Amino acid sequence: MAIATTTRRRAALLLTAGLVVLGATACTDTDPAVSTEAKPAATAPADGSKAPDAGKSKDAAKAPAKIGDTIALKGALPESTADVTAVKLVDNAEGADEFNKPADGKRFVAVQFRIKATGKGYNDSPSNSAKLIDAQGQAFNTSLSDTKAGQSFAAGTTIATGESGLGFLTFEVPADAKLDKVQFTLDSGFAPQTGQWKLG
């Protein structure tokens, strides 16, 4: 049963990635830009008074996004936008069952993301969109494994405009890797903008 599920998930990932590559190639030829700018956490109160963070310095506003922050991301098309939040990181996450175990000398790291569709909706495979980067600059793609950290994103995720989806993505990294950043890019990783969160 677990093998059949993994096979279906892998097939869906490959199909989605192929379709997005064709669309992204046709729509954009720009180099991807990395955004580390978090959206403000608070909005102005209805009574017109200043928001709690209105007095912060410009330097503080430019601090790189971290776990818990939201980054507004753009896709290849103008209507393809989403607010993405790196909600939580679970290091040394335990596999969901006996079929989900890291290889010898490796460990699982699970990152929970919230995706809010701000454009015409979101229809993609989040697992194609994320990368985990260690302190040496090595990037790791997502794993097909599930962990006990929480519910994983489905291989194909559809989110209506204005609504949000929440799920974990799993990475398999060397046991001694020092985590540095996590990234998320719309359009299965082929959008012209990448969101980046600093870890630790």
Side-chain angles (χ1 to χ4, degrees), residues 60-109:
K62 292 181 180 178
K66 60 187 183 306
I67 294 294
D69 288 337
T70 300
I71 299 177
L73 293 179
K74 298 175 183 177
L77 300 175
E79 64 270 20
S80 176
T81 60
D83 286 349
V84 180
T85 307
V87 178
K88 183 192 303 185
L89 182 144
V90 179
D91 202 351
N92 264 323
E94 185 181 350
D97 52 39
E98 66 271 24
F99 301 105
N100 291 271
K101 292 184 178 180
D104 290 344
K106 301 286 185 73
R107 75 183 197 265
F108 283 148
V109 177

Side-chain angles (χ1 to χ4, degrees), residues 12-13 16 84 111-115 122-131 141-143 152-159 165-171 183-189:
L13 292 175
T16 302
V84 180
V111 181
Q112 187 181 45
F113 287 95
R114 182 182 300 281
I115 303 169
Y122 177 92
N123 187 7
D124 201 358
S125 278
S127 54
N128 291 337
S129 299
K131 292 185 185 300
N141 291 322
T142 57
S143 164
S152 297
F153 270 113
T157 297
T158 300
I159 304 168
L166 181 70
F168 276 94
L169 297 175
T170 303
F171 302 85
Q183 296 181 335
F184 195 96
T185 309
L186 297 179
D187 300 335
S188 278

Side-chain angles (χ1 to χ4, degrees), residues 6 12 14-15 26 36 38 41 70 73 108 122 137 148 150 153 177 188 190 199:
T6 300
L14 291 174
L15 176 60
T36 61
T70 300
L73 293 179
F108 283 148
Y122 177 92
K148 292 183 178 178
F153 270 113
S188 278
F190 291 96
L199 305 176

Side-chain angles (χ1 to χ4, degrees), residues 15-61:
L15 176 60
T16 302
L19 292 173
V20 171
V21 169
L22 291 174
T25 303
C27 297
T28 181
D29 58 1
T30 59
D31 291 330
V34 175
S35 174
T36 61
E37 184 178 349
K39 291 186 70 173
T43 56
D47 63 5
S49 61
K50 288 185 178 180
D53 61 350
K56 287 187 178 179
S57 69
K58 291 182 179 179
D59 290 339

